[in-house]
């Protein structure tokens, strides 16, 4: 059997990094207006599916657990968020790129977020380019660009997700939360991504972890992010290490926030180590880390022990570190 197969059973030339038993689907969101869609089976670039929902429906119907999406390169102007909710136990979903087609760019400049919010299951996803809902499988998202939308990726109720080698740029909006916004998740690996020009009144973060634990943020670059580039909320045992920060943040480089009006507690065990950090978005010196203790804005409340600790090896630099 080929390392990668198609649902029709015919062998398909697999990408070099395809795992044994993976089913490969070609997806080209930019072809939604072309003719002959009924004949599309996702088996080749010429017959690529035009929506991610089509892939999920087929995979679910056929009981496919290991899916590799070969997304055709180019700028894809999304009119609604990509909502992925198929993730059975033991499954693996890889957001890959069709070989030889160039970089995949998800652009939200044509999205109607108000319209998307009316769709069943999309209320919390309306302002994001990609929304992955609770599931039991693993995900890998690599080598993509997310741009021109209020937010990038939203994760809720997920474990074992790797987000690597992506670019998050020009994200802004009144409902902007982050390039990557997680909730009730654990075991995430967010590495080697670029977060550039994420802006609003200060709530926009590069990475915003909510009720998220045991995750690693490493090797990323952050520049011109108005809110604190890494923010946690009721989150514990996350490691932020080996990242580079430039002109980003309002209060600190790595900070904690909690809503005391909702009785939210403090996090614990979060570590900041071996990073290069600098001045705020407004080019002023700011704290390296900030948790809900002495010196925090009063609305954050107080925590008895530090929820974020300095793990050592951090360096302060005012010039761009890359």
């Amino acid at each position: 059997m080929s390392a990668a197969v198609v649902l029709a059973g015919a062998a398909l030339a697999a990408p070099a990094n395809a795992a044994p038993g993976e089913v490969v689907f070609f997806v080209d969101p930019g072809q939604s207006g072309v003719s002959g869609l009924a004949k599309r089976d996702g088996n080749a670039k010429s017959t690529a599916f035009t929506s991610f929902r089509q892939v999920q429906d087929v995979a679910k119907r056929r009981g496919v657990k290991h899916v590799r999406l070969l997304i055709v390169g180019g700028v894809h102007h999304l009119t609604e968020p990509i909502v992925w909710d198929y993730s059975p136990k033991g499954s693996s979903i890889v957001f890959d790129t069709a070989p030889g087609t160039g970089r995949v760019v998800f652009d939200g400049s044509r999205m109607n977020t108000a319209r998307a919010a009316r769709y069943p299951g999309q209320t919390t996803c309306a302002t994001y380019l990609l929304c992955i809902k609770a599931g039991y499988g693993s995900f890998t998202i690599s080598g993509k660009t997310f741009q021109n939308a209020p937010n990038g990726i939203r994760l809720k109720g997920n474990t074992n997700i790797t987000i690597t080698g992506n670019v998050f740029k020009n994200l802004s909006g009144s409902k902007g939360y982050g390039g990557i916004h997680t909730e009730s998740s654990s075991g995430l690996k967010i590495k080697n991504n670029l977060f550039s020009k994420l802006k609003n009144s200060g709530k926009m973060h590069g990475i915003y972890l909510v009720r998220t634990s045991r995750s690693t943020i490493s090797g990323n670059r952050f520049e011109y992010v108005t809110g604190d580039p890494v923010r946690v909320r009721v989150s514990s045992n996350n490691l932020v290490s080996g990242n580079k920060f430039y002109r980003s943040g309002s209060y600190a480089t790595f900070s904690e926030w909690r809503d005391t009006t909702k009785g939210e507690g403090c996090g614990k065990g979060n570590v900041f180590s071996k990073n290069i950090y600098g001045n705020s978005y407004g080019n002023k010196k700011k704290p390296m880390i900030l948790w809900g203790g002495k010196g925090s804005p009063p609305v954050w409340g107080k925590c008895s022990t530090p929820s974020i600790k300095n793990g050592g090896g951090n360096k302060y630099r005012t010039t761009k570190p890359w």
Side-chain angles (χ1 to χ4, degrees):
M1 179 182 293
S2 174
V5 296
V6 294
L7 290 181
L12 179 69
N17 56 346
E22 280 188 333
V23 174
V24 170
F25 296 94
F26 282 82
V27 187
D28 189 354
Q31 294 295 309
S32 59
V34 301
S35 60
L37 295 184
K39 298 180 180 179
R40 290 179 173 256
D41 53 19
N43 289 352
K45 180 178 178 294
S46 59
T47 58
F49 287 130
T50 59
S51 80
F52 292 85
R53 176 54 58 188
Q54 289 173 299
V55 179
Q56 295 180 81
D57 289 345
V58 171
K60 184 176 182 179
R61 186 169 66 248
R62 301 293 181 89
V64 176
K65 282 193 173 183
H66 304 293
V67 175
R68 181 172 293 266
L69 304 173
L70 294 185
I71 306 169
V72 176
V75 179
H76 300 295
H77 292 280
L78 304 180
T79 57
E80 60 185 65
I82 300 167
V83 179
W84 191 281
D85 53 19
Y86 176 70
S87 179
K89 188 174 181 178
S91 64
S92 62
I93 313 295
V94 178
F95 285 73
D96 205 344
T97 302
T101 62
R103 190 175 184 89
V104 173
V105 178
F106 295 122
D107 187 289
S109 57
R110 300 178 187 175
M111 284 179 61
N112 185 331
T113 57
R115 177 172 174 266
R118 295 196 296 267
Y119 293 171
Q122 290 193 6
T123 302
T124 59
C125 299
T127 62
Y128 298 82
L129 290 166
L130 171 61
C131 191
I132 298 178
K133 296 192 173 183
Y136 302 95
S138 67
F139 285 84
T140 300
I141 304 163
S142 63
K144 309 295 180 288
T145 296
F146 299 83
Q147 65 181 31
N148 299 330
N151 299 283
I153 297 175
R154 163 84 162 167
L155 308 174
K156 186 173 182 180
N158 301 106
T159 60
N160 196 18
I161 290 185
T162 298
I163 301 175
T164 181
N166 301 285
V167 174
F168 301 85
K169 67 177 185 179
N170 300 328
L171 302 178
S172 65
S174 60
K175 294 186 178 181
Y177 297 102
I180 299 174
H181 180 190
T182 78
E183 184 177 349
S184 303
S185 298
S186 65
L188 310 179
K189 295 179 179 64
I190 303 173
K191 58 184 182 179
N192 302 329
N193 303 285
L194 171 64
F195 300 84
S196 179
K197 298 180 181 179
L198 278 57
K199 305 177 182 180
N200 64 8
S201 60
K203 298 178 181 179
M204 193 67 178
H205 310 288
I207 299 172
Y208 184 24
L209 307 181
V210 182
R211 297 180 183 85
T212 296
S213 62
R214 301 184 304 281
S215 296
T216 301
I217 297 170
S218 63
N220 302 285
R221 294 173 293 159
F222 301 79
E223 62 176 6
Y224 304 110
V225 181
T226 56
D228 296 346
V230 181
R231 166 67 63 84
V232 292
R233 177 178 175 184
V234 200
S235 296
S236 300
N237 303 316
N238 299 292
L239 174 64
V240 179
S241 181
N243 303 281
K244 297 177 180 179
F245 302 86
Y246 178 72
R247 294 285 302 274
S248 296
S250 298
Y251 296 108
T253 300
F254 183 21
S255 66
E256 177 191 44
W257 182 85
R258 62 193 183 104
D259 189 342
T260 56
T261 65
K262 296 181 179 179
E264 291 183 345
C266 301
K268 63 180 181 180
N270 299 296
V271 176
F272 189 79
S273 68
K274 301 178 181 178
N275 302 283
I276 300 177
Y277 71 104
N279 287 348
S280 68
Y281 177 81
N283 204 23
K284 296 180 180 180
K285 191 170 184 178
K286 64 182 186 313
M288 180 176 64
I289 58 177
L290 189 62
W291 52 281
K294 185 178 180 180
S296 299
V299 70
W300 291 6
K302 305 297 180 183
C303 301
S304 58
T305 58
S307 56
I308 301 176
K309 297 180 179 180
N310 180 358
N314 299 295
K315 298 179 180 179
Y316 173 74
R317 185 183 299 177
T318 56
T319 56
K320 196 170 185 178
W322 67 86

